Amino acid sequence: MTELLITCVKKNAQGIIVQVGIDGNIFDVKTIAEKIWSRENTYFTIANGIRVRVFALRHTSTNEPYLTTTTNVKLPNNLKYLSKC
């Protein structure tokens, strides 16, 4: 299993993360979610000096995958604070 760093995000007009940047490449959320669920890769990010693991979940109403991080007191979802790709 490979561990990869997510360094940036792309959001849609509603502010929802739809793509992430890894090693200079852009991937959609569904692809990353599938790699997490299949245990092919794990992902982490560093925002404001805090390293956290990335998890893939499904929205309860739409069943669409989304990415989130472990929660901490300072930043509930560190992906939202990454720079734009």
Side-chain angles (χ1 to χ4, degrees):
M1 189 178 322
T2 304
E3 185 177 50
L4 300 165
L5 172 64
I6 295 175
T7 56
C8 60
V9 297
K10 284 189 176 183
K11 299 177 185 177
N12 64 14
Q14 293 78 34
I16 297 170
I17 297 169
V18 294
Q19 295 177 314
V20 297
I22 302 167
D23 289 332
N25 297 306
I26 304 296
F27 299 92
D28 64 74
V29 167
K30 184 177 179 182
T31 299
I32 300 301
E34 289 170 354
K35 289 182 182 291
I36 292 171
W37 292 328
S38 70
R39 299 180 192 264
E40 182 178 338
N41 295 329
T42 60
Y43 299 88
F44 70 97
T45 192
I46 299 173
N48 294 333
I50 301 167
R51 177 190 163 121
V52 290
R53 186 172 171 194
V54 174
F55 294 92
L57 302 173
R58 290 196 180 273
H59 285 285
T60 54
S61 58
T62 65
N63 207 34
E64 289 295 315
Y66 70 96
L67 303 177
T68 189
T69 63
T70 53
T71 58
N72 60 57
V73 175
K74 294 181 182 179
L75 302 171
N77 182 352
N78 293 37
L79 290 171
K80 293 182 179 183
Y81 298 91
L82 292 178
S83 62
K84 183 179 176 182
C85 294

